[in-house]
Amino acid sequence: MVFIMNKGVIKRLLPYLLRNKALLALTLLCALISGLCGLFIPIVTGRGIDQMTAEGLRFMPRTILLLGGLILAAVLTQWEYSSLAAVLAGRVAQALREECFDALQALPLKYYDSTARGDVISRFTNDAEAVAEGTLQAVNQVLSGLITVIGSLIFIFIISPLAGVLILIISPFYYIFSRLIASRSAGMFKKQQDTLGRLNGYAEERISAMRLVRAFSNERQTNEEFGAINEELYGYGFKAQFYSAVTNPSTRMIVNISYITVGAVGTLLALKSGSFTVGAISSLIIYANQYSKPINELTGLITQMQTAIAAAARVFGLMDEKREAVQAPTAELSSAQGEVEFKDVSFSYQPQSPLIKCFSLKVEKGSTVAIIGPTGAGKTTLVNLLMRFYDIDSGQILIDGIDIMSLSREKLRRQFSMVLQETWLFTGTVAENIAFSKPQAARDEIIAAAKAAHAHRFIEAMPKGYDTVIFGEGEGLSQGQKQLLTIARAMLAQAPILILDEATGSVDTKTELRIQRAFKKLMAGKTSFIIAHRLSTIREADVILFIKEGNIVEQGTHEELLAKGGEYALLEARY
Amino acid sequence: MKNTLSQLRSYKKQLILGPLCKLIEAVLELTMPLIMARMIDNRAQGMSLIIRYSLIMLAVAAVGLGFALVCQYYASRASQGFGTKLRAALMQKISSLSPAQVQSFGASSLTNRLTSDVNQLQTAVAMMIRLASRAPFLCIGASIMAMSIDLPLSVILIVLIPLFILVLYLILSRSLPLFTKLQGGLDRLALLVGENLSGVRVIRAFNNAPRQRESFTKSNGELYSTYTLAGRLSALMNPATALIMNGAICAVLWFGGFSVKDGRLTTGEVIAYINYLTQIMLQMIIVSNLMVLFSKAYAGGKRVEAVLQTQPDICSPAKPEPIGKNKNAPAIEFENVSFAYRAGANALEGINFALQGGEALGIIGGTGSGKSTLLSLVDRLYDASEGTVKIWGTDVRRCDLTQLRSQMAIVEQEPSLLSGSIRSNLQYGNSAASDTELIEALKLAQAWEFVEKLPKGLDSSIERGGRNLSGGQRQRLAIARAIAAKRPILMLDDASSALDYATDSKLKAALNTLDCTTVIVAQRVKSVYSAQSIVCLENGRIAGMGTHEELFDTCREYREICDSQGVGRGGKLV
């Protein structure tokens, strides 16, 4: 039923199937053998019936043996090709997921920051599944159906060319009818699949933020909003379902019409000429049925196929998102000395509201730079630019005199150890979470890092110590403890440049002091960037930058800035 | 499956009439060959008869089409309606579960159950209406017809049917666990993708994309092998059925041959018998395919049912007591409260304190000392393992949950903002709040200064989790949201940790002007030291309680915290 769907999507989907040439060929072969055996079984059965006479019974064992052989061959090949169809469908889904994941990894942060998580996840689960199911049915039914259709048509032509022509005349109606209905339902399927994605996104967001929903007793509102999307889904789902469900009975009507026509014409022929026997009419009717049956069944598959195509379109949609530009690196940097320079850097998240304008700064190697300023001044943005989470609009950022745009992102990021404001832990053991920055780290190193981050004690107190599995958000772990784990992670990385973006914001100040001592050891001889709003954490920095609205408004050491009596001094006084 | 299937209750009409229509269509279809035979037999009567019979057949086919359409209509209505109701019921259940319960299912697994599992159930209902009546009807009808032709030959049928059931059982009992495993694998994959979405910065910063890719490939590979294994097993169904039925045909040929020789049966009867057997086989193949579909749906149904069956471990009592009967009772009171998370030592132990209405309480303590846990006992996200938590003199466990929570507004440490606009987020706790009220709340939360500058102001869009805002902006919006909710008790859980000092102190001053009872959890002494009373926690126990000066003099832990922040007895830097 390929003809009634989006050709572009199908054209793109086909190579995933064709990729497994040998497998596909074997599937075809099995389907062919099984189909042929299936066509011959009635003939041999018929011969068996003819042999039901006293003298014919002698040949019966041979006939039954032949029949048994045919049955066995048909059954085995049928099993094989259905199995292979499942393998093919599984492979298509697997490949789609892999490529989707590749695409996801190549997408810029902008995509991540602006897309509903549940909707993306839905493409990996619901949509990939729908494609697999569609492929399975396509290979399974279309293939065997096609063989039966062609086989019976040949048999019909052998018996009566006239009947064959008659059937060929009626056939296009199947096509016209299916197309008429399918063109209506295709749009509905797309809407259905999109709404399902939206529903998934909404549910995922609310379930993850259940604490908030609970706190404001917003369960009812949540249920109502969910209900609205759900009702919308019902509307599209019902229409998609019904429109496509109309196809099957309607084509069956055409089957019936052709049955009646063939019957009537056959009877008329028998009436007019004696040479056309009743037996011939009956054979014709049987073959006409056999010919149209698979066609009728195939139209029943339209629902599934359309869902699959709509789903595939969404999967491809993710793959087609604009990826991060990758230029071949023109420079090398194994381990940086740590000299960092911003030259006339400008950047904005949205073109209409520029955030950083002509920002320039030179940081000597081994020095500690503290960045301070009001919330939303663009402090974290500097980190985003330095690590190339986002690319600058104009200007240059240099490390050891090398433009970071000329380095590969991997090489560049290898230069940094960082602790971010948001703590991110994944499902895995505590040890795995710490070793995320250095997968090959030995247990001793992990423990040493945890000790330096003052996380060792509470880790030891967990049920299985370092092997305790952290689930999702980490129930029972406080925000501060999560932060300590991410600090341990950075401690382990040991990269030449250190970035601490509000690294200890949720840690109590007693622990913070101790961690700072550990950081100081770690920072010795390394360039470090510290973003903080606790003044105590930055007093000893070599240079303090006071940033406001994307620009440096004050710059100097703690003492210099105090003496200057500007914004920093004001802040200090309030503190 | 009781709870799941009860969603079908309002579709009784469709569930009965749908299959009935299908049955009528099947019966009509069966009469067609009889009419055709009549036409052929009586063809000698000429042209007019052929036309008459053709028209009758056409009418029968048209009526059949009508019934089929009605059935399809009912099937679509009932299946999609059932799915919709089921999703609504699921969401309602999920939003009544406690955070611990949500976590033990996993957010991604719950989302999958809402979509993917319900989808399978919905397909099963549609197929049930469309096919489940027709196939058994034709099966039984054909069996009766076959038996009426020749009873001795039907011994074959009697052997056959249990054999078919046995094969069906063998295959299904093996594939069913695989389908459940498949859904589990899908959950894991969803979890992994979700983690990759939320942790993208950390993953990229540590160049861990290849490793994430590896674990994705592994998960994906496992999913693939489960899928194909389940597929191979299900693929066995049709050929096995065909084998049994064709074997039966061989047997009929063999034994029937002797009967024909003996003159007990005619060749025509044998043909008819075989035709009926073929009909039975076709229907059995449909039945076995339906069984595969149903067993997939069953696996999904069990997962859905598991959620629906879960009793929320925290819910309103049957007869809630009104809150605030006793005007003089403290706003919040802890009596000998201890608490432990599922597996682990006590996170809180022997907590006693009372906070009078209108006063401010500060809670301070080291990382992991139980500060946030304490707050979550007040709005009953968790229940105390021992002791009693009271609000306005009433045990929180005796209060209606909605009423209890409407007493307070909480600002979390990592506030969740929802995708939508600034306005929709601010109105989350009070949907009736006017723009003036919202702006007032924004001003108090020190958020107006940046909201004002946004081109679209209150209508500016917020992305999922507030990713398009900085940490400090998120916190201030969350505080504004809590203020706009206008609740008698305001609880801030280290809610200004991402704010710079200047903003933080302005915020503190603004909060003091609010007429409500406040609980402030903080790291900084500066944030709590002006509170009437401060609780200092250490490893889940109260290390000291009192005013800043009292604690400074008597509590060692509190003194150490002050020292680490350079705060002296007078609250000023030393």
Side-chain angles (χ1 to χ4, degrees):
Chain A
M1 293 297 108
V2 167
F3 49 82
I4 26 133
M5 284 113 178
N6 187 330
K7 285 200 190 74
V9 175
I10 299 203
K11 232 182 230 162
R12 233 176 126 173
L13 203 53
L14 226 46
Y16 289 89
L17 205 59
L18 298 178
R19 201 177 282 175
N20 308 285
K21 278 206 183 65
L23 211 58
L24 198 62
L26 192 61
T27 315
L28 268 169
L29 187 70
C30 286
L32 197 68
I33 295 173
S34 156
L36 285 179
C37 291
L39 282 172
F40 278 109
I41 287 174
I43 295 176
V44 179
T45 312
R47 205 208 291 168
I49 292 169
D50 289 343
Q51 287 166 348
M52 285 182 174
T53 53
E55 60 277 18
L57 224 49
R58 277 186 298 127
F59 301 103
M60 189 61 103
R62 214 198 296 163
T63 309
I64 288 184
L65 216 61
L66 178 63
L67 193 59
L70 273 176
I71 290 168
L72 218 58
V75 161
L76 285 178
T77 45
Q78 193 193 355
W79 182 33
E80 193 50 33
Y81 93 76
S82 306
S83 293
L84 290 175
V87 173
L88 278 170
R91 285 205 183 161
V92 168
Q94 191 188 21
L96 282 177
R97 287 193 181 110
E98 296 280 301
E99 277 184 42
C100 244
F101 196 77
D102 279 341
L104 198 63
Q105 288 199 324
L107 291 177
L109 244 76
K110 203 174 182 158
Y111 179 83
Y112 287 80
D113 287 349
S114 62
T115 315
R117 250 167 66 176
D119 192 53
V120 178
I121 296 172
S122 183
R123 291 169 206 241
F124 281 87
T125 54
N126 294 329
D127 291 329
E129 225 185 341
V131 176
E133 220 36 51
T135 314
L136 180 68
Q137 297 305 338
V139 175
N140 233 340
Q141 312 247 26
V142 176
L143 224 54
S144 66
L146 227 56
I147 288 164
T148 314
V149 167
I150 295 170
S152 350
L153 199 62
I154 292 170
F155 276 83
I156 291 173
F157 267 99
I158 290 172
I159 291 178
S160 156
L162 176 72
V165 171
L166 249 168
I167 281 187
L168 281 183
I169 290 170
I170 292 170
S171 296
F173 286 99
Y174 293 113
Y175 172 84
I176 293 166
F177 225 87
S178 314
R179 193 186 172 92
L180 215 67
I181 296 165
S183 64
R184 265 172 213 286
S185 53
M188 282 300 147
F189 277 103
K190 191 180 173 319
K191 281 191 181 137
Q192 183 192 19
Q193 215 63 14
D194 281 346
T195 316
L196 189 64
R198 208 146 53 78
L199 185 100
N200 208 41
Y202 182 87
E204 199 272 341
E205 184 174 1
R206 297 305 141 128
I207 294 173
S208 308
M210 210 36 104
R211 173 82 163 90
L212 174 76
V213 177
R214 210 48 48 73
F216 284 108
S217 300
N218 248 331
E219 291 90 347
R220 192 190 294 163
Q221 190 191 335
T222 304
N223 286 332
E224 275 167 14
E225 281 169 0
F226 179 83
I229 307 177
N230 199 12
E231 281 303 319
E232 205 179 317
L233 180 61
Y234 170 66
Y236 294 135
F238 166 71
K239 280 185 193 140
Q241 189 77 39
F242 182 61
Y243 285 168
S244 64
V246 164
T247 321
N248 192 288
S250 307
T251 46
R252 192 153 19 170
M253 182 72 193
I254 299 175
V255 171
N256 281 330
I257 292 174
S258 73
Y259 173 80
I260 295 166
T261 317
V262 167
V265 170
T267 316
L268 211 62
L269 282 175
L271 187 66
K272 294 271 145 74
S273 88
S275 63
F276 204 84
T277 65
V278 179
I281 305 174
S282 117
S283 313
L284 256 189
I285 290 172
I286 290 168
Y287 279 116
N289 263 345
Q290 226 177 38
Y291 167 78
S292 52
K293 207 164 174 293
I295 295 185
N296 192 33
E297 274 163 9
L298 290 184
T299 59
L301 279 178
I302 287 184
T303 317
Q304 218 154 21
M305 300 305 252
Q306 282 183 324
T307 314
I309 299 294
R314 280 167 51 77
V315 171
F316 290 135
L318 175 61
M319 290 185 194
D320 292 343
E321 287 288 339
K322 198 166 180 292
R323 306 192 181 193
E324 244 174 1
V326 180
Q327 298 93 353
T330 52
E332 267 300 310
L333 184 62
S334 52
S335 181
Q337 296 293 310
E339 193 189 277
V340 179
E341 189 177 2
F342 287 78
K343 256 191 194 166
D344 290 327
V345 171
S346 295
F347 173 76
S348 64
Y349 289 104
Q350 279 134 355
Q352 65 269 25
S353 51
L355 180 62
I356 289 175
K357 290 154 280 183
C358 293
F359 180 90
S360 291
L361 169 73
K362 192 164 173 158
V363 181
E364 297 300 331
K365 66 177 181 188
S367 59
T368 302
V369 182
I371 303 169
I372 194 160
T375 317
K379 294 172 299 205
T380 301
T381 307
L382 288 181
V383 178
N384 278 343
L385 298 180
L386 199 54
M387 299 192 73
R388 285 192 68 192
F389 287 143
Y390 283 81
D391 279 337
I392 52 177
D393 295 336
S394 67
Q396 257 188 326
I397 299 176
L398 307 162
I399 291 180
D400 288 2
I402 302 168
D403 188 339
I404 59 168
M405 296 298 281
S406 66
L407 290 169
S408 70
R409 287 193 177 83
E410 290 65 39
K411 277 272 156 52
L412 170 69
R413 288 170 186 160
R414 205 156 284 156
Q415 311 305 323
F416 301 98
S417 260
M418 59 137 218
V419 183
L420 287 181
Q421 213 167 351
E422 23 182 330
T423 51
W424 175 76
L425 299 175
F426 60 91
T427 309
T429 66
V430 172
E432 283 166 355
N433 264 287
I434 295 176
F436 194 74
S437 58
K438 194 180 173 189
Q440 73 281 15
R443 184 51 67 94
D444 296 349
E445 289 178 81
I446 294 172
I447 294 177
K451 279 183 175 158
H454 292 273
H456 182 68
R457 239 186 46 203
F458 84 80
I459 295 172
E460 288 282 83
M462 291 169 88
K464 285 186 187 160
Y466 282 84
D467 296 314
T468 311
V469 175
I470 297 175
F471 285 107
E473 312 286 309
E475 192 198 23
L477 280 184
S478 78
Q479 197 55 37
Q481 286 170 330
K482 287 188 215 167
Q483 206 157 43
L484 293 183
L485 289 181
T486 58
I487 291 170
R489 194 186 274 165
M491 292 265 183
L492 191 61
Q494 301 275 8
I497 304 174
L498 190 66
I499 296 178
L500 305 177
D501 183 1
E502 273 308 327
T504 51
S506 302
V507 178
D508 70 90
T509 42
K510 268 167 64 187
T511 312
E512 187 182 34
L513 273 184
R514 293 193 210 119
I515 293 172
Q516 262 167 24
R517 254 171 263 144
F519 271 139
K520 208 173 277 172
K521 228 193 287 170
L522 190 72
M523 290 187 309
K526 289 179 185 167
T527 310
S528 10
F529 291 86
I530 303 176
I531 296 173
H533 35 246
R534 276 186 200 156
L535 296 190
S536 59
T537 58
I538 58 169
R539 261 182 217 132
E540 290 162 38
D542 296 310
V543 60
I544 298 172
L545 307 175
F546 194 98
I547 292 191
K548 208 173 172 183
E549 287 166 8
N551 285 307
I552 304 177
V553 289
E554 285 172 36
Q555 182 171 355
T557 63
H558 178 66
E559 286 73 25
E560 286 167 9
L561 289 182
L562 276 189
K564 199 173 172 190
E567 301 240 23
Y568 183 83
L570 206 67
L571 206 65
E572 177 72 25
R574 250 195 238 135
Y575 178 83
Chain B
M1 299 287 267
K2 207 178 83 221
N3 296 298
T4 309
L5 294 179
S6 73
Q7 300 303 326
L8 274 171
R9 211 175 288 146
S10 41
Y11 294 100
K12 275 196 194 112
K13 185 180 90 180
Q14 284 87 346
L15 285 173
I16 295 167
L17 291 183
L20 201 67
C21 289
K22 199 70 188 184
L23 215 58
I24 296 171
E25 193 223 355
V27 173
L28 287 175
E29 212 184 303
L30 286 181
T31 60
M32 296 271 281
L34 296 179
I35 305 174
M36 180 71 85
R38 265 269 190 71
M39 178 170 87
I40 297 169
D41 287 347
N42 298 329
R43 65 185 182 282
Q45 288 181 26
M47 193 69 178
S48 67
L49 174 120
I50 293 174
I51 291 173
R52 199 168 75 231
Y53 271 92
S54 296
L55 285 179
I56 292 174
M57 280 191 281
L58 209 60
V60 168
V63 173
L65 172 68
F67 276 107
L69 286 181
V70 172
C71 169
Q72 300 287 43
Y73 177 82
Y74 282 152
S76 308
R77 270 266 177 262
S79 63
Q80 297 290 325
F82 165 68
T84 306
K85 276 197 188 326
L86 194 56
R87 279 190 297 265
L90 261 176
M91 190 67 193
Q92 196 154 14
K93 175 60 88 174
I94 292 169
S95 54
S96 76
L97 296 180
S98 75
Q101 288 174 313
V102 169
Q103 218 147 42
S104 74
F105 280 113
S108 56
S109 171
L110 285 175
T111 318
N112 267 349
R113 286 170 212 229
L114 257 176
T115 51
S116 160
D117 290 309
V118 173
N119 270 355
Q120 262 162 2
L121 277 165
Q122 159 170 299
T123 313
V125 169
M127 292 320 249
M128 194 169 71
I129 295 177
R130 283 180 359 202
L131 296 174
S133 68
R134 187 187 149 98
F137 168 76
L138 290 177
C139 234
I140 293 167
S143 302
I144 292 172
M145 297 305 276
M147 282 183 201
S148 70
I149 291 176
D150 188 49
L151 213 53
L153 213 51
S154 300
V155 173
I156 295 168
L157 263 181
I158 292 163
V159 175
L160 196 84
I161 289 172
L163 200 64
F164 171 73
I165 291 172
L166 181 73
V167 168
L168 207 63
Y169 169 77
L170 282 178
I171 296 175
L172 286 181
S173 63
R174 274 164 185 69
S175 56
L176 199 61
L178 282 176
F179 290 129
T180 313
K181 198 177 156 200
L182 198 61
Q183 286 308 101
L186 219 52
D187 281 354
R188 260 197 306 287
L189 199 83
L191 178 75
L192 214 69
V193 175
E195 279 178 352
N196 274 279
L197 291 170
S198 61
V200 61
R201 277 182 171 76
V202 181
I203 291 165
R204 293 196 180 175
F206 290 119
N207 285 316
N208 254 330
R211 222 156 62 89
Q212 293 301 109
R213 177 87 171 69
E214 241 168 66
S215 59
F216 178 84
T217 306
K218 194 167 150 256
S219 255
N220 195 13
E222 276 165 17
L223 195 62
Y224 162 77
S225 20
T226 317
Y227 180 89
T228 43
L229 196 60
R232 286 190 88 94
L233 256 175
S234 308
L236 195 55
M237 196 76 97
N238 284 353
T241 313
L243 185 66
I244 293 172
M245 297 311 296
N246 280 315
I249 291 177
C250 286
V252 169
L253 281 181
W254 181 249
F255 295 112
F258 289 108
S259 301
V260 170
K261 199 182 90 183
D262 298 346
R264 209 158 47 78
L265 274 176
T266 66
T267 321
E269 281 171 326
V270 174
I271 294 176
Y273 201 97
I274 288 175
N275 279 342
Y276 284 124
L277 269 185
T278 316
Q279 183 65 262
I280 294 173
M281 171 167 79
L282 285 176
Q283 297 313 317
M284 282 206 169
I285 285 177
I286 291 177
V287 169
S288 57
N289 286 343
L290 274 179
M291 290 312 278
V292 172
L293 193 79
F294 286 157
S295 56
K296 271 188 196 172
Y298 181 73
K302 273 211 310 219
R303 281 159 48 89
V304 167
E305 184 70 13
V307 178
L308 289 179
Q309 254 176 8
T310 308
Q311 286 307 318
D313 56 14
I314 288 175
C315 48
S316 297
K319 280 189 196 137
E321 285 177 19
I323 298 174
K325 250 192 337 210
N326 184 351
K327 291 278 178 281
N328 301 319
I332 298 172
E333 192 178 0
F334 275 58
E335 283 176 356
N336 242 328
V337 172
S338 297
F339 173 78
Y341 286 100
R342 263 179 307 178
N346 272 354
L348 287 176
E349 216 171 300
I351 304 290
N352 277 298
F353 73 85
L355 168 65
Q356 297 303 326
E359 292 194 345
L361 175 76
I363 300 176
I364 199 163
T367 304
S369 62
K371 303 185 297 287
S372 305
T373 309
L374 193 146
L375 288 193
S376 57
L377 298 184
V378 181
D379 72 339
R380 274 194 86 197
L381 278 185
Y382 294 97
D383 273 338
S385 332
E386 276 171 57
T388 324
V389 178
K390 287 181 177 172
I391 181 155
W392 305 113
T394 313
D395 185 340
V396 289
R397 279 169 294 198
R398 297 233 176 89
C399 302
D400 175 69
L401 267 185
T402 313
Q403 234 198 332
L404 171 72
R405 287 173 182 154
S406 69
Q407 293 297 312
M408 59 197 84
I410 282 200
V411 184
E412 296 168 88
Q413 206 166 3
E414 284 242 312
S416 336
L417 294 180
L418 301 170
S419 42
S421 66
I422 290 189
R423 182 182 285 108
S424 71
N425 269 284
L426 291 179
Q427 286 181 335
Y428 200 69
N430 174 8
S431 49
S434 67
D435 278 10
T436 335
E437 287 173 298
L438 296 184
I439 291 171
E440 181 60 28
L442 283 170
K443 280 182 180 159
L444 284 166
Q446 310 302 314
W448 181 238
E449 46 175 282
F450 81 85
V451 175
E452 191 183 25
K453 279 186 207 141
L454 296 172
K456 287 195 205 149
L458 283 174
D459 291 313
S460 310
S461 69
I462 296 216
E463 287 161 8
R464 186 188 191 278
R467 306 289 309 240
N468 55 340
L469 299 171
S470 75
Q473 288 171 332
R474 282 202 291 269
Q475 284 193 331
R476 282 181 287 170
L477 283 185
I479 294 170
R481 173 170 64 194
I483 294 173
K486 297 215 164 113
R487 307 279 165 89
I489 301 172
L490 184 62
M491 301 201 278
L492 305 180
D493 186 1
D494 208 1
S496 53
S497 61
L499 300 188
D500 57 83
Y501 269 97
T503 315
D504 193 22
S505 50
K506 274 193 259 173
L507 171 73
K508 207 87 16 80
L511 288 181
N512 279 338
T513 65
L514 281 176
D515 174 34
C516 62
T517 313
T518 41
V519 180
I520 298 171
V521 168
Q523 302 284 354
R524 305 172 195 163
V525 177
K526 285 280 284 180
S527 303
V528 297
Y529 97 106
S530 58
Q532 276 94 343
S533 177
I534 300 168
V535 167
C536 178
L537 288 176
E538 186 180 11
N539 295 328
R541 294 165 185 272
I542 294 188
M545 188 161 44
T547 63
H548 169 71
E549 286 79 12
E550 285 164 13
L551 284 176
F552 192 85
D553 292 338
T554 59
C555 179
R556 185 190 44 82
E557 172 76 4
Y558 188 76
R559 181 69 177 267
E560 281 177 22
I561 294 172
C562 287
D563 288 347
S564 71
Q565 296 175 15
V567 176
R569 193 174 188 278
K572 292 276 173 253
L573 281 175
V574 267

